[in-house]
Amino acid sequence: MHEIAGADFILAIGTNTTETHPVLSLQVRKAVKEGAKLVVADPRRIELADIAETHIQHKSGSDLALLNAMANVIIEEGLWNREFVEQRTEDFEALSQAVKDCTPEWAAETTGVSAETIRETARAYAGAEKASILYTMGITQHICGTDNVLAIANLALLTGQIGRENTGVNPLRGQNNVQGACDMGALPNVYPGYQAVNNPDMQQKFEKAWGVELSPKAGLVVGEMMDAAYAGTLKGLFVIGENPLMSDPDSNHVIQAMDKIDFLVVQDLFLTETAEKADVILPAASFAEKNGTFTNTERRVQRVRKAVEPIGDSKPDWEILVMLSNAMGYPMQYGSPGDIMKEINAVTPQYGGITFERLEKQGLQWPCPDVDHPGTKFLHKDKFARGKGKFHAVSHVDPDEVPDEEYPYVLTTGRRLFHYHTGSMSRRAKGLAEAYPEEYLEVNPKDALKLEVETGGKVRVASRRGEIEIPIRVTERIQPGLVFASFHFRETWLNKLTNDARDPIAKIPEFKVSAVKIEKVV
Amino acid sequence: MSEVTITIDGQEVTVPAGTTVLQAARMAGIEIPTLCHDPELTSPGACRLCVVEIEGMRNLPASCVTTAGDGMVVNTISPDVMDARKTVIELLLANHPEDCLTCERTGQCRLQEYAYHYGVRGDVFHGDRTEFPIDDSNPFIVRDLNKCIRCGKCVRVCDEVQGRSIYSFAYRGFDSIPATAMDESLAESECVFCGSCVSVCPTGALTEKMMHGVGRSWELEKIKTTCPYCGVGCNFDLNVKDGKVVGVTSNAESEVNGRALCVKGRFGYNFIDHPDRLTKPLIKKDGEFQEATWEEAINLVAEKFTQIKQEHGGDALALFSSARCTNEENYLANKFCRAVLGTNNIDHCARL
Ligand code: SF4
Ligand code: SF4
């Protein structure tokens, strides 16, 4: 994370860092202060744009055109790193073919950004000594999210801006332990440590470790679970610490799906919107009431320490899981989270040497295969996980939903500094709730004029899936035709509007583009 | 890198060239008092509390801005040094409200500590007292500039670490204070309430509003942990009194963030003991939730899941795990889902 401060060129694309990763944004500020060139690419004039040398305000959903045009410039102008491409990568030809026609002039049309700006950015990135790219959900929450990520990787491979200190592509993870949840196998296709469930060797390994037969068939992702529930094939659902009713796209569909589930169990701190639908609610302990570890966005495993006893009869999630497992006839015997970590060490190569004893002193970045290993600061140093870095030919596609006459505006969604996720924690934190009591929709002055609404005035926003009412704030930070709000507030239930169209590979829904219509509430 | 050797209070210390006398002393375990100095910030050499005597120099230089030179002989506790420090403290106390009885910083206040250490009482100079209105216009930070000693750390941390530059010194001389632009309240300013300025303030001028009256500093137990909000993974200390989390304070030993935090991490802890917390298992009967024992709830869930699994197969079940649970819990959720429920239908909110 401190590496970012040492970069001399930073492209922050689709990441509202000052609000979503505030302390990390300090590193970006530090780099800028020390003379780094910062380019912010975001459809909204986010705060970080204020300190950027260039703000690329491209249309929501046009990232791929922008990135491919940068690759085009880098190849056409011979700015690519021949040595790196030769030694460390493969399939350069495929990329070169794919972006041949993606000239900045072509991209200017799709993105709304001038060809000159695209050229300059490409040159600056390729020419920098140490260039780093930061991105988050602004890149991934599109139906072409996987391709967007590949397009970013293409740029880093082309220029060799990877595998050295202060370079690389840095996806910033949103919630505190998304990284850890993925590492620990809370994913339908992989066991802990990204060991594929459909790989017979892995299946055998875990069958042996756990003493049961396991299914080789990859499971369903969240969105598919909802579809299965809606279709009636999913009968029982166990939700731990999530609130899909509010966090998932197309909430009305989610609500209907939940209603069809025969037996719903929710384990949480609060009676969330989802918990209200449950047949059984199990009260869980908060982070302050339990021991364990979280893994941050740079793969650093750090301790969570118990400071107080669980409130009332609530229990840490791990204890509840142990009880339930025992009740279902599969004995689990762990005295503490440290015991569980020992099992993790044994079956997860990346976590092999990460023990509570070592974490007492300091965090450890995985891969850390054994207890003598110091942990790994940055990945891909001498070689990529798969050997050579592979270029991928990817091309621009329009968002699933484009504005039309009936739904002329594009709604894009995100987060606010003072709040978190579906608000179940932050809205109950006194100061935060006071400082940011309600949500508003950001609207460009031109659109506000058309709608005849001023700041504080209410509008009705409707998509093909649902509608909400919400006050607006008129701001130049947003382009005409685009509107923005966060999904933290139940009163302005934003995901009733969003589209659950998903990227075919990563299956991330397209939160960043929904076509909506807006009218004044009188 | 070249090194220099200096003698401090008769003790020889070898340090890298470029080290300040203050740093050298601290490396040798010799304590020199400071108010305006902070190892993470630039040093203005303004408070003059860290003065020392250096052989061959006429005045008493401030050790935080004096570079150690080879062969230097430093005395940190000579009578002249002690006198000079006393005077600095006397002058500060002359314009300081005598509010230690109820001041939030009592026990952690540097001014109080040094006044005690150097035996300075507040009645030496009876100066005019500045009177500023207290700014408590926001939910997070109380600014009582009457207790400000003009060390300028808040100005520097906000500028140098946060990059916000909310404060700058306004007015001259006696009335000089770290003020916001246009002297507006923090609530009206561009402040993002990261609380960094509070974490460096050596007195009671900047304090955490929600920690007012919850307990004296020495009554609070501090437990280092990791923030439950975003993926940066900042560490901080939960402050605990009588089994209750009453505040969050920076822990300078945090690898990722040092003392920096954002508003969520520093001020977002009240949800922990919010009255809305679920405290008992609940079972829905006829559309209403009814309290149950753990045994009842667990048995019911186990029975239902087993029944569904038997009738429809494991793939008729699914589990949403959580990006807010620990690694150990996610591991168990993954094991429970695959080994006990008998399905790979497990996912979490990674994509949201
Ligand atoms: S809280 Fe943070 S942003 Fe606000 S004045 Fe203090 S240091 Fe600056
Ligand atoms: S303090 Fe703020 S920046 Fe740090 S982990 Fe918590 S939410 Fe993220």
Side-chain angles (χ1 to χ4, degrees), chain A residues 431-449:
Chain A
L432 301 179
E434 246 174 86
Y436 199 100
E438 64 167 7
E439 186 52 341
Y440 53 83
L441 184 75
E442 292 179 9
V443 177
N444 183 273
K446 286 200 187 107
D447 293 330
L449 210 66

Side-chain angles (χ1 to χ4, degrees), chain A residues 47 175-176 185 187 190 215 217 222 235 242 276 281 293 296-297 302-303 313 343 363 417 428 506, chain B residues 164 226 229 231-233 255 264 276 279 282 284 294 315-316 320 324 328 331 335 338 344 347 349 351:
Chain A
E47 200 191 2
Q175 304 164 65
N176 66 324
L187 292 170
V190 288
S215 161
K217 191 175 123 219
V222 169
K235 308 282 182 196
E242 291 282 1
E276 283 167 14
I281 300 180
T293 57
N296 83 348
T297 184
Q302 306 189 99
R303 274 298 311 274
D313 281 347
E343 187 171 319
L417 173 65
R428 289 184 176 89
Chain B
R164 298 275 165 181
T226 305
Y229 286 105
V232 175
E255 290 157 85
K264 288 189 286 292
D276 287 355
T279 57
L282 301 172
K284 203 180 256 167
W294 272 106
D315 286 341
F320 264 40
R324 281 166 298 289
E328 294 72 17
Y331 176 81
K335 183 173 178 180
R338 302 182 207 278
N344 287 318
D347 200 8
C349 267
R351 301 170 184 84

Side-chain angles (χ1 to χ4, degrees), chain A residues 309-354:
Chain A
E309 286 303 320
I311 210 159
D313 281 347
S314 67
K315 289 183 191 292
D317 295 284
W318 68 269
E319 278 188 44
I320 306 175
L321 284 162
V322 167
M323 282 165 47
L324 206 50
S325 186
N326 288 331
M328 288 183 71
Y330 182 91
M332 283 192 185
Q333 272 132 4
Y334 305 100
S336 70
D339 288 350
I340 305 172
M341 187 53 108
K342 287 195 188 116
E343 187 171 319
I344 296 172
N345 296 152
V347 296
T348 317
Q350 299 89 328
Y351 278 65
I354 301 182

Side-chain angles (χ1 to χ4, degrees), chain B residues 140-141 143 153-155 157-159 161-167 180 186 189-200 206 261 266-267:
Chain B
F140 310 110
I141 297 172
R143 254 167 101 229
K153 280 198 217 172
C154 59
V155 178
V157 80
C158 190
D159 178 46
V161 177
Q162 279 296 316
R164 298 275 165 181
S165 314
I166 299 299
Y167 307 117
T180 60
L186 275 184
S189 76
E190 298 283 300
C191 172
V192 291
F193 301 108
C194 67
S196 290
C197 51
V198 181
S199 77
V200 296
L206 295 171
L261 291 169
R266 194 185 299 278
F267 298 114

Side-chain angles (χ1 to χ4, degrees), chain B residues 175-190:
Chain B
D175 281 330
S176 155
I177 45 148
T180 60
M182 321 292 294
D183 219 352
E184 59 202 348
S185 68
L186 275 184
E188 293 163 303
S189 76
E190 298 283 300

